[in-house]
Amino acid sequence: MSNQLERIKELVELRAKARMGGGEKAIEKQHARGKYTARERIDMLLDEGSFEEMDMFKLHRCTNFGMEKKQYLGDGVVTGSGTIDGRLVYVFAQDFTVNGGSLSETMAEKICKVMDQAMKMGAPCIGINDSGGARIQEGINALGGYANIFQRNIEASGVIPQISGIFGPCAGGAVYSPALTDFILMMENTSYMFLTGPKVVKTVTGEDVSQEDLGGASVHATKSGVTHFTAETEEEAMQMIRTLISYMPQNNMEEAPRLECTDPINRLEDFLNEIIPDNPNQAYDMYEVIGAIVDNGEFFEVQPDYAKNIIVGFARFNGQSVGVVANQPKCYAGVLDCNASRKGARFVRFCDAFNIPIVTFVNASGIIKEKENQMLVAATKLTTAYASATCPKLSVITGQAVGAAYIALAGRGSNADLVYAWDTAVISPLSTKAAVAFLFNDRLANGESRDALEKEYESEMASPFTAAACGAVDDVFVPAETRNKVIAALDVLAGKRETTIPRKHSVK
């Protein structure tokens, strides 16, 4: 009996030692930086008491440069499974208190194992990154570990949701893995992502640049579009990841989640009938439209600070999780540019991969003319994303749907299942001004009023009823009815089944 108690005591002590990571001093340093440890982060992320750890006692095998004297149980990454709101997820969290979180061969093995488990069980995989990069003492073995992780990121893409949280440094080869996942969250002021650090930039170009300016959260949230979310505190970050997960199915074989709805489905929003300004040069705020018609006004925006002329994010209609794409008239009049097209295409492809219906609110008069020479490839990416998506797709034209914007976002060319329009919509191959100048040039030369001719064109040729008459629009209604109409359409489309011609993949 005494031997049994001794073994139990030894196991308890080993577990306690593993949970201390790099030790008390290293943990104190981590806290002094304003950062939590890997296990503290996992506890914040998962449901209380749900975490089941894997490979707690794993050790690295490196004996170069005295590394055999730097052995820590678990070797710098905490891996396992748990639940978020009762739903299974897999997670790995790099431990900066152990050799700066640097990736070893055995750490890569642990991460690959948990990713493999996530694929087998059809559950989301969440990576919490806080690492100085590859463990240089291990040379090619560490570098090869990254390659193995990347391979699994690629294999899992479109099969299970993958989310990356950047809670500290993420440099060199380490940045590829998060970039291959579906969503990235970065911490403001304490995280950064770059391929080449400030010292290398200084050596090669002579330029002094800070880590924040080179790859901080603000740069990636506003300029590069690499990160989808930013957070001020780690508590806020974990709650954002939990919220994001709530909109996703477990895997690509499941339908988008549905919650009980407490918001009346037939609720009318009369103020929407007045939201379109009489002056076409004035803009309205698409956020007001979205907030008025989704369940309880709750909209979880993705990339809110990047390409603001298009809005993407998650919401619910009658409890059904949907992806929302919308032009923002208050930014560049909602017209499409390269960044907006790429942003929209990426989001549409994610929603389609995981069977999340897409609701698009269209108000765009075309593309930004100054960037027209750059738009061809970007615009085709957006059109391809919509046209190839087989999930339910509903478009509501709330304002202008002109030229390429109509084709990409609402046209039959985008393979939309249903196209609706507000009674105030304008649907045309050209903007009203351009169309009048082209079609009524003689009448303008004879002194007829441009304003009168524009009204004539919009009422006779660009009216939603004209589009409805030829079947390009399925229904026209007043804006106040939008919530009811969208919910009814989603119910109709819930049973959609669409097959495509077999092929390896498209080239766009």
Side-chain angles (χ1 to χ4, degrees):
M1 186 68 174
S2 60
N3 288 338
Q4 184 180 1
L5 291 174
E6 189 67 28
R7 289 198 304 271
I8 293 172
K9 180 182 177 183
E10 182 180 353
L11 177 59
V12 169
E13 289 175 350
L14 278 174
R15 289 187 180 278
K17 183 178 180 181
R19 292 190 179 103
M20 290 302 294
E24 288 186 12
K25 289 185 178 179
I27 291 174
E28 288 174 3
K29 286 183 179 180
Q30 182 79 343
H31 288 164
R33 298 185 187 100
K35 297 162 63 177
Y36 288 100
T37 66
R39 284 188 169 79
E40 288 169 340
R41 288 165 175 163
I42 289 174
D43 287 343
M44 282 191 288
L45 175 65
L46 302 179
D47 296 339
E48 185 176 356
S50 70
F51 182 55
E52 294 291 334
E53 188 167 349
M54 299 163 56
D55 288 333
M56 177 184 275
F57 306 116
K58 191 153 189 171
L59 297 169
H60 72 72
R61 298 182 287 270
C62 180
T63 57
N64 299 330
F65 306 99
M67 287 300 294
E68 71 277 4
K69 300 175 184 177
K70 297 180 180 181
Q71 289 280 15
Y72 298 91
L73 293 174
D75 191 30
V77 67
V78 182
T79 62
S81 63
T83 61
I84 292 178
D85 293 330
R87 300 167 66 201
L88 176 67
V89 298
Y90 284 83
V91 62
F92 64 87
Q94 294 171 332
D95 188 349
F96 198 79
T97 69
V98 176
N99 296 313
S102 57
L103 187 91
S104 67
E105 181 183 19
T106 50
M107 279 177 63
E109 290 172 354
K110 288 182 66 173
I111 293 171
C112 288
K113 180 191 282 189
V114 83
M115 294 175 76
D116 290 341
Q117 286 289 99
M119 285 284 281
K120 288 178 184 178
M121 299 306 297
C125 187
I126 303 168
I128 300 174
N129 296 264
D130 189 1
S131 168
R135 193 170 296 174
I136 305 301
Q137 296 90 336
E138 294 196 17
I140 190 62
N141 290 331
L143 196 60
Y146 276 131
N148 292 332
I149 294 171
F150 303 162
Q151 179 66 31
R152 283 162 174 80
N153 286 134
I154 294 165
E155 291 173 351
S157 181
V159 180
I160 58 172
Q162 299 180 85
I163 300 171
S164 297
I166 314 299
F167 287 76
C170 188
V175 301
Y176 286 93
S177 177
L180 289 168
T181 61
D182 300 313
F183 295 101
I184 297 174
L185 180 146
M186 293 185 71
M187 294 301 305
E188 297 173 8
N189 304 316
T190 58
S191 70
Y192 50 86
M193 298 176 70
F194 45 67
L195 290 171
T196 304
K199 290 182 180 179
V200 178
V201 173
K202 173 69 174 176
T203 301
V204 175
T205 69
E207 180 183 358
D208 288 309
V209 61
S210 69
Q211 290 180 342
E212 182 64 28
D213 291 338
L214 188 61
S218 60
V219 170
H220 288 312
T222 61
K223 295 181 180 180
S224 71
V226 166
T227 191
H228 301 84
F229 310 97
T230 62
E232 293 183 4
T233 67
E234 296 196 11
E235 291 88 348
E236 178 191 9
M238 295 307 177
Q239 185 55 53
M240 291 175 76
I241 293 175
R242 289 177 64 91
T243 300
L244 179 60
I245 284 287
S246 74
Y247 289 101
M248 301 178 186
Q250 291 290 91
N251 55 67
N252 67 337
M253 301 301 290
E254 295 188 6
E255 298 298 321
R258 188 161 200 156
L259 304 180
E260 182 180 354
C261 178
T262 58
D263 192 353
I265 63 174
N266 58 352
R267 171 169 54 81
L268 299 178
E269 290 294 342
D270 290 332
F271 89 92
L272 290 179
N273 291 338
E274 309 296 331
I275 199 170
I276 301 294
D278 292 332
N279 184 348
N281 293 323
Q282 291 181 340
Y284 63 95
D285 192 345
M286 187 62 80
Y287 287 110
E288 292 185 22
V289 176
I290 296 170
I293 61 179
V294 300
D295 289 357
N296 305 307
E298 295 175 355
F299 177 57
F300 189 67
E301 188 173 3
V302 176
Q303 292 181 299
D305 299 316
Y306 177 71
K308 292 185 176 183
N309 41 326
I310 197 167
I311 300 168
V312 301
F314 297 100
R316 291 186 176 88
F317 284 98
N318 194 23
Q320 171 71 63
S321 176
V322 302
V324 173
V325 180
N327 303 111
Q328 171 58 298
K330 294 195 74 173
C331 182
Y332 301 136
V335 298
L336 297 173
D337 62 4
C338 296
N339 290 342
S341 297
R342 283 191 288 263
K343 173 181 171 180
R346 179 70 161 72
F347 184 73
V348 166
R349 289 182 68 82
F350 173 83
C351 290
D352 181 49
F354 293 100
N355 309 308
I356 301 172
I358 301 167
V359 180
T360 306
F361 297 100
V362 184
N363 188 344
S365 58
I367 64 174
I368 294 181
K369 303 306 179 187
E370 292 79 8
K371 299 182 180 179
E372 187 166 355
N373 61 337
Q374 305 171 28
M375 272 296 296
L376 184 56
V377 173
T380 56
K381 286 185 180 297
L382 182 60
T383 304
T384 300
Y386 267 103
S388 61
T390 58
C391 63
K393 291 175 291 186
L394 167 67
S395 293
V396 182
I397 302 172
T398 64
Q400 297 187 67
V402 175
Y406 167 78
I407 295 170
L409 299 171
R412 297 305 183 193
S414 68
N415 202 20
D417 297 302
L418 289 171
V419 179
Y420 290 162
W422 285 1
D423 62 337
T424 51
V426 175
I427 305 168
S428 171
L430 290 174
S431 67
T432 300
K433 286 185 179 298
V436 167
F438 183 79
L439 295 173
F440 302 138
N441 189 45
D442 293 342
R443 294 170 65 180
L444 285 169
N446 290 332
E448 290 193 45
S449 166
R450 178 178 290 275
D451 289 342
L453 290 173
E454 288 179 358
K455 289 179 180 178
E456 178 183 336
Y457 175 80
E458 288 186 354
S459 64
E460 294 185 6
M461 299 189 68
S463 162
F465 298 100
T466 303
C470 65
V473 166
D474 298 298
D475 196 10
V476 181
F477 49 80
V478 296
E481 299 176 320
T482 306
R483 173 173 168 79
N484 191 307
K485 290 288 188 178
V486 169
I487 289 174
L490 290 172
D491 286 343
V492 168
L493 297 174
K496 177 185 176 183
R497 294 293 181 269
E498 183 176 340
T499 58
T500 56
I501 299 172
R503 61 181 170 184
K504 193 171 183 180
H505 55 72
S506 71
V507 295
K508 281 292 183 182

